[in-house]
Amino acid sequence: ILNVEQSPQSLHVQEGDSTNFTCSFPSSNFYALHWYRWETAKSPEALFVMTLNGDEKKKGRISATLNTKEGYSYLYIKGSQPEDSATYLCAPSANQAGTALIFGKGTTLSVSS
Amino acid sequence: DTGVSQNPRHKITKRGQNVTFRCDPISEHNRLYWYRQTLGQGPEFLTYFQNEAQLEKSRLLSDRFSAERPKGSFSTLEIQRTEQGDSAMYLCASSYYQGGLTDTQYFGPGTRLTVL
């Protein structure tokens, strides 16, 4: 069973601040890593899927990096806005078929204007 | 088609009752997944279908839980003899798998179950 750790558990920043979160996972038997953003009362939204060591993905002000050898991924948000307030979840795939995702507990971001 | 839909959005039931949830995936998606999220935890994988075949089940899926996807389109998740520990958010996701290591799972808004 994969042990996925996310830190910090929660974070409060001011509008315009840049921030980053960490997702740690076992480096052995790595297949893929997913990042999701989940706003209250909405569906979890897929942000990135990363498979290769050194991968970097970007979507607007949000970017992510992946280090499969040491088992971590960083998610960065540049110039946080109140609409970025959400829980950010990372999820490695548990198997080669990419079916079962193993989610961390998430990092809850709150951005004040 | 605007995404994965789930019904109902909320369900309150008494312990011992049976409940059924429905998930309608994105059209043409061949994979459908069920997850459960309890308070303070991330979503936990329960089961998945490729077309109408249920190919994987988590140990979390006790005998009281059954899922179906009869025509490879919508799916139902039934919980029999509900227990207070079943109170959770039940999430459905779908994806279009074309081979390769992974695909993106698109989630619905979930069904929140409260067992009294």
Side-chain angles (χ1 to χ4, degrees), chain A residues 17-37:
Chain A
D17 289 349
S18 293
T19 187
N20 64 85
F21 322 134
T22 303
C23 172
S24 301
F25 51 87
S27 56
S28 58
N29 297 321
F30 176 83
Y31 302 106
L33 183 84
H34 300 246
W35 278 100
Y36 284 85
R37 174 171 61 196

PDB file of all heavy atoms in Angstrom, chain A residues 17-37:
ATOM      1  N   ASP A  17       0.733  36.536  -2.867  1.00  0.00           N
ATOM      2  CA  ASP A  17       1.841  35.703  -2.392  1.00  0.00           C
ATOM      3  C   ASP A  17       2.012  34.505  -3.317  1.00  0.00           C
ATOM      4  O   ASP A  17       1.049  34.002  -3.894  1.00  0.00           O
ATOM      5  CB  ASP A  17       1.571  35.194  -0.977  1.00  0.00           C
ATOM      6  CG  ASP A  17       1.660  36.286   0.066  1.00  0.00           C
ATOM      7  OD1 ASP A  17       2.135  37.394  -0.274  1.00  0.00           O
ATOM      8  OD2 ASP A  17       1.246  36.023   1.216  1.00  0.00           O
ATOM      9  N   SER A  18       3.243  34.046  -3.417  1.00  0.00           N
ATOM     10  CA  SER A  18       3.496  32.781  -4.102  1.00  0.00           C
ATOM     11  C   SER A  18       3.689  31.702  -3.043  1.00  0.00           C
ATOM     12  O   SER A  18       4.179  31.974  -1.951  1.00  0.00           O
ATOM     13  CB  SER A  18       4.732  32.892  -4.993  1.00  0.00           C
ATOM     14  OG  SER A  18       4.471  33.793  -6.063  1.00  0.00           O
ATOM     15  N   THR A  19       3.308  30.489  -3.394  1.00  0.00           N
ATOM     16  CA  THR A  19       3.363  29.423  -2.405  1.00  0.00           C
ATOM     17  C   THR A  19       3.688  28.098  -3.074  1.00  0.00           C
ATOM     18  O   THR A  19       3.627  27.968  -4.293  1.00  0.00           O
ATOM     19  CB  THR A  19       2.024  29.325  -1.646  1.00  0.00           C
ATOM     20  OG1 THR A  19       2.170  28.395  -0.580  1.00  0.00           O
ATOM     21  CG2 THR A  19       0.893  28.876  -2.563  1.00  0.00           C
ATOM     22  N   ASN A  20       4.045  27.114  -2.262  1.00  0.00           N
ATOM     23  CA  ASN A  20       4.289  25.785  -2.823  1.00  0.00           C
ATOM     24  C   ASN A  20       3.944  24.715  -1.795  1.00  0.00           C
ATOM     25  O   ASN A  20       3.984  24.951  -0.581  1.00  0.00           O
ATOM     26  CB  ASN A  20       5.738  25.628  -3.298  1.00  0.00           C
ATOM     27  CG  ASN A  20       6.731  25.733  -2.160  1.00  0.00           C
ATOM     28  OD1 ASN A  20       7.015  24.755  -1.482  1.00  0.00           O
ATOM     29  ND2 ASN A  20       7.261  26.927  -1.931  1.00  0.00           N
ATOM     30  N   PHE A  21       3.593  23.548  -2.308  1.00  0.00           N
ATOM     31  CA  PHE A  21       3.223  22.404  -1.485  1.00  0.00           C
ATOM     32  C   PHE A  21       4.082  21.219  -1.891  1.00  0.00           C
ATOM     33  O   PHE A  21       4.608  21.175  -2.995  1.00  0.00           O
ATOM     34  CB  PHE A  21       1.749  21.996  -1.688  1.00  0.00           C
ATOM     35  CG  PHE A  21       0.781  23.102  -1.863  1.00  0.00           C
ATOM     36  CD1 PHE A  21      -0.162  23.027  -2.866  1.00  0.00           C
ATOM     37  CD2 PHE A  21       0.787  24.216  -1.039  1.00  0.00           C
ATOM     38  CE1 PHE A  21      -1.086  24.039  -3.044  1.00  0.00           C
ATOM     39  CE2 PHE A  21      -0.118  25.234  -1.215  1.00  0.00           C
ATOM     40  CZ  PHE A  21      -1.059  25.149  -2.223  1.00  0.00           C
ATOM     41  N   THR A  22       4.148  20.239  -0.991  1.00  0.00           N
ATOM     42  CA  THR A  22       4.950  19.053  -1.246  1.00  0.00           C
ATOM     43  C   THR A  22       4.095  17.806  -1.194  1.00  0.00           C
ATOM     44  O   THR A  22       3.200  17.692  -0.353  1.00  0.00           O
ATOM     45  CB  THR A  22       6.077  18.924  -0.201  1.00  0.00           C
ATOM     46  OG1 THR A  22       6.871  20.099  -0.210  1.00  0.00           O
ATOM     47  CG2 THR A  22       6.954  17.714  -0.500  1.00  0.00           C
ATOM     48  N   CYS A  23       4.375  16.888  -2.097  1.00  0.00           N
ATOM     49  CA  CYS A  23       3.767  15.562  -2.098  1.00  0.00           C
ATOM     50  C   CYS A  23       4.909  14.550  -2.077  1.00  0.00           C
ATOM     51  O   CYS A  23       5.769  14.574  -2.968  1.00  0.00           O
ATOM     52  CB  CYS A  23       2.904  15.367  -3.338  1.00  0.00           C
ATOM     53  SG  CYS A  23       2.274  13.693  -3.566  1.00  0.00           S
ATOM     54  N   SER A  24       4.920  13.667  -1.075  1.00  0.00           N
ATOM     55  CA  SER A  24       5.959  12.635  -0.968  1.00  0.00           C
ATOM     56  C   SER A  24       5.329  11.270  -1.141  1.00  0.00           C
ATOM     57  O   SER A  24       4.244  11.008  -0.618  1.00  0.00           O
ATOM     58  CB  SER A  24       6.638  12.703   0.403  1.00  0.00           C
ATOM     59  OG  SER A  24       7.227  13.962   0.605  1.00  0.00           O
ATOM     60  N   PHE A  25       6.022  10.391  -1.846  1.00  0.00           N
ATOM     61  CA  PHE A  25       5.498   9.055  -2.131  1.00  0.00           C
ATOM     62  C   PHE A  25       6.680   8.097  -2.257  1.00  0.00           C
ATOM     63  O   PHE A  25       7.816   8.520  -2.500  1.00  0.00           O
ATOM     64  CB  PHE A  25       4.676   9.076  -3.415  1.00  0.00           C
ATOM     65  CG  PHE A  25       5.387   9.706  -4.584  1.00  0.00           C
ATOM     66  CD1 PHE A  25       6.224   8.949  -5.393  1.00  0.00           C
ATOM     67  CD2 PHE A  25       5.259  11.064  -4.850  1.00  0.00           C
ATOM     68  CE1 PHE A  25       6.914   9.532  -6.437  1.00  0.00           C
ATOM     69  CE2 PHE A  25       5.932  11.652  -5.897  1.00  0.00           C
ATOM     70  CZ  PHE A  25       6.769  10.895  -6.687  1.00  0.00           C
ATOM     71  N   PRO A  26       6.432   6.795  -2.130  1.00  0.00           N
ATOM     72  CA  PRO A  26       7.527   5.829  -2.287  1.00  0.00           C
ATOM     73  C   PRO A  26       8.090   5.902  -3.706  1.00  0.00           C
ATOM     74  O   PRO A  26       7.341   5.938  -4.690  1.00  0.00           O
ATOM     75  CB  PRO A  26       6.857   4.482  -2.028  1.00  0.00           C
ATOM     76  CG  PRO A  26       5.639   4.810  -1.238  1.00  0.00           C
ATOM     77  CD  PRO A  26       5.190   6.159  -1.729  1.00  0.00           C
ATOM     78  N   SER A  27       9.407   5.919  -3.813  1.00  0.00           N
ATOM     79  CA  SER A  27      10.033   6.061  -5.131  1.00  0.00           C
ATOM     80  C   SER A  27      10.076   4.738  -5.915  1.00  0.00           C
ATOM     81  O   SER A  27      10.260   4.753  -7.138  1.00  0.00           O
ATOM     82  CB  SER A  27      11.447   6.608  -4.989  1.00  0.00           C
ATOM     83  OG  SER A  27      12.209   5.776  -4.142  1.00  0.00           O
ATOM     84  N   SER A  28       9.877   3.623  -5.227  1.00  0.00           N
ATOM     85  CA  SER A  28       9.884   2.345  -5.936  1.00  0.00           C
ATOM     86  C   SER A  28       8.534   2.108  -6.616  1.00  0.00           C
ATOM     87  O   SER A  28       7.508   2.582  -6.143  1.00  0.00           O
ATOM     88  CB  SER A  28      10.169   1.201  -4.953  1.00  0.00           C
ATOM     89  OG  SER A  28       9.209   1.183  -3.940  1.00  0.00           O
ATOM     90  N   ASN A  29       8.548   1.408  -7.733  1.00  0.00           N
ATOM     91  CA  ASN A  29       7.318   1.065  -8.457  1.00  0.00           C
ATOM     92  C   ASN A  29       6.482   2.292  -8.793  1.00  0.00           C
ATOM     93  O   ASN A  29       5.274   2.306  -8.608  1.00  0.00           O
ATOM     94  CB  ASN A  29       6.454   0.087  -7.658  1.00  0.00           C
ATOM     95  CG  ASN A  29       7.171  -1.229  -7.437  1.00  0.00           C
ATOM     96  OD1 ASN A  29       7.853  -1.724  -8.322  1.00  0.00           O
ATOM     97  ND2 ASN A  29       7.051  -1.764  -6.243  1.00  0.00           N
ATOM     98  N   PHE A  30       7.139   3.340  -9.273  1.00  0.00           N
ATOM     99  CA  PHE A  30       6.427   4.554  -9.648  1.00  0.00           C
ATOM    100  C   PHE A  30       5.862   4.389 -11.052  1.00  0.00           C
ATOM    101  O   PHE A  30       6.521   3.902 -11.969  1.00  0.00           O
ATOM    102  CB  PHE A  30       7.351   5.775  -9.594  1.00  0.00           C
ATOM    103  CG  PHE A  30       6.675   7.027 -10.069  1.00  0.00           C
ATOM    104  CD1 PHE A  30       5.884   7.753  -9.211  1.00  0.00           C
ATOM    105  CD2 PHE A  30       6.808   7.448 -11.391  1.00  0.00           C
ATOM    106  CE1 PHE A  30       5.235   8.907  -9.645  1.00  0.00           C
ATOM    107  CE2 PHE A  30       6.161   8.589 -11.843  1.00  0.00           C
ATOM    108  CZ  PHE A  30       5.375   9.316 -10.963  1.00  0.00           C
ATOM    109  N   TYR A  31       4.617   4.860 -11.233  1.00  0.00           N
ATOM    110  CA  TYR A  31       3.982   4.798 -12.548  1.00  0.00           C
ATOM    111  C   TYR A  31       3.590   6.187 -13.039  1.00  0.00           C
ATOM    112  O   TYR A  31       3.918   6.583 -14.149  1.00  0.00           O
ATOM    113  CB  TYR A  31       2.761   3.882 -12.500  1.00  0.00           C
ATOM    114  CG  TYR A  31       3.104   2.485 -12.057  1.00  0.00           C
ATOM    115  CD1 TYR A  31       2.768   2.038 -10.775  1.00  0.00           C
ATOM    116  CD2 TYR A  31       3.799   1.617 -12.891  1.00  0.00           C
ATOM    117  CE1 TYR A  31       3.114   0.758 -10.361  1.00  0.00           C
ATOM    118  CE2 TYR A  31       4.137   0.337 -12.475  1.00  0.00           C
ATOM    119  CZ  TYR A  31       3.796  -0.083 -11.208  1.00  0.00           C
ATOM    120  OH  TYR A  31       4.140  -1.334 -10.793  1.00  0.00           O
ATOM    121  N   ALA A  32       2.858   6.919 -12.218  1.00  0.00           N
ATOM    122  CA  ALA A  32       2.412   8.262 -12.612  1.00  0.00           C
ATOM    123  C   ALA A  32       1.960   9.002 -11.363  1.00  0.00           C
ATOM    124  O   ALA A  32       1.624   8.388 -10.348  1.00  0.00           O
ATOM    125  CB  ALA A  32       1.263   8.191 -13.616  1.00  0.00           C
ATOM    126  N   LEU A  33       1.950  10.323 -11.458  1.00  0.00           N
ATOM    127  CA  LEU A  33       1.476  11.151 -10.351  1.00  0.00           C
ATOM    128  C   LEU A  33       0.460  12.153 -10.880  1.00  0.00           C
ATOM    129  O   LEU A  33       0.702  12.823 -11.893  1.00  0.00           O
ATOM    130  CB  LEU A  33       2.626  11.909  -9.692  1.00  0.00           C
ATOM    131  CG  LEU A  33       2.154  12.720  -8.469  1.00  0.00           C
ATOM    132  CD1 LEU A  33       2.113  11.835  -7.243  1.00  0.00           C
ATOM    133  CD2 LEU A  33       3.046  13.915  -8.215  1.00  0.00           C
ATOM    134  N   HIS A  34      -0.665  12.245 -10.178  1.00  0.00           N
ATOM    135  CA  HIS A  34      -1.730  13.163 -10.548  1.00  0.00           C
ATOM    136  C   HIS A  34      -1.847  14.252  -9.491  1.00  0.00           C
ATOM    137  O   HIS A  34      -1.698  13.977  -8.298  1.00  0.00           O
ATOM    138  CB  HIS A  34      -3.076  12.440 -10.628  1.00  0.00           C
ATOM    139  CG  HIS A  34      -3.119  11.324 -11.617  1.00  0.00           C
ATOM    140  ND1 HIS A  34      -3.902  11.352 -12.743  1.00  0.00           N
ATOM    141  CD2 HIS A  34      -2.467  10.122 -11.644  1.00  0.00           C
ATOM    142  CE1 HIS A  34      -3.742  10.223 -13.414  1.00  0.00           C
ATOM    143  NE2 HIS A  34      -2.875   9.462 -12.780  1.00  0.00           N
ATOM    144  N   TRP A  35      -2.151  15.464  -9.926  1.00  0.00           N
ATOM    145  CA  TRP A  35      -2.509  16.566  -9.026  1.00  0.00           C
ATOM    146  C   TRP A  35      -3.940  16.996  -9.338  1.00  0.00           C
ATOM    147  O   TRP A  35      -4.305  17.152 -10.529  1.00  0.00           O
ATOM    148  CB  TRP A  35      -1.579  17.767  -9.211  1.00  0.00           C
ATOM    149  CG  TRP A  35      -0.273  17.672  -8.498  1.00  0.00           C
ATOM    150  CD1 TRP A  35       0.939  17.319  -9.024  1.00  0.00           C
ATOM    151  CD2 TRP A  35      -0.030  17.972  -7.111  1.00  0.00           C
ATOM    152  NE1 TRP A  35       1.912  17.384  -8.057  1.00  0.00           N
ATOM    153  CE2 TRP A  35       1.348  17.772  -6.885  1.00  0.00           C
ATOM    154  CE3 TRP A  35      -0.838  18.387  -6.049  1.00  0.00           C
ATOM    155  CZ2 TRP A  35       1.940  17.988  -5.624  1.00  0.00           C
ATOM    156  CZ3 TRP A  35      -0.250  18.585  -4.820  1.00  0.00           C
ATOM    157  CH2 TRP A  35       1.125  18.389  -4.613  1.00  0.00           C
ATOM    158  N   TYR A  36      -4.709  17.216  -8.274  1.00  0.00           N
ATOM    159  CA  TYR A  36      -6.088  17.673  -8.406  1.00  0.00           C
ATOM    160  C   TYR A  36      -6.295  18.899  -7.516  1.00  0.00           C
ATOM    161  O   TYR A  36      -5.670  19.029  -6.458  1.00  0.00           O
ATOM    162  CB  TYR A  36      -7.083  16.588  -7.972  1.00  0.00           C
ATOM    163  CG  TYR A  36      -7.269  15.472  -8.972  1.00  0.00           C
ATOM    164  CD1 TYR A  36      -6.409  14.384  -8.987  1.00  0.00           C
ATOM    165  CD2 TYR A  36      -8.303  15.509  -9.899  1.00  0.00           C
ATOM    166  CE1 TYR A  36      -6.575  13.353  -9.907  1.00  0.00           C
ATOM    167  CE2 TYR A  36      -8.486  14.483 -10.823  1.00  0.00           C
ATOM    168  CZ  TYR A  36      -7.618  13.411 -10.815  1.00  0.00           C
ATOM    169  OH  TYR A  36      -7.790  12.401 -11.739  1.00  0.00           O
ATOM    170  N   ARG A  37      -7.222  19.744  -7.923  1.00  0.00           N
ATOM    171  CA  ARG A  37      -7.673  20.869  -7.102  1.00  0.00           C
ATOM    172  C   ARG A  37      -9.143  20.631  -6.797  1.00  0.00           C
ATOM    173  O   ARG A  37      -9.937  20.351  -7.707  1.00  0.00           O
ATOM    174  CB  ARG A  37      -7.519  22.197  -7.848  1.00  0.00           C
ATOM    175  CG  ARG A  37      -8.098  23.381  -7.098  1.00  0.00           C
ATOM    176  CD  ARG A  37      -7.735  24.685  -7.744  1.00  0.00           C
ATOM    177  NE  ARG A  37      -8.250  24.797  -9.104  1.00  0.00           N
ATOM    178  CZ  ARG A  37      -7.823  25.682  -9.984  1.00  0.00           C
ATOM    179  NH1 ARG A  37      -6.843  26.529  -9.649  1.00  0.00           N
ATOM    180  NH2 ARG A  37      -8.338  25.727 -11.193  1.00  0.00           N
TER     181      ARG A  37
END
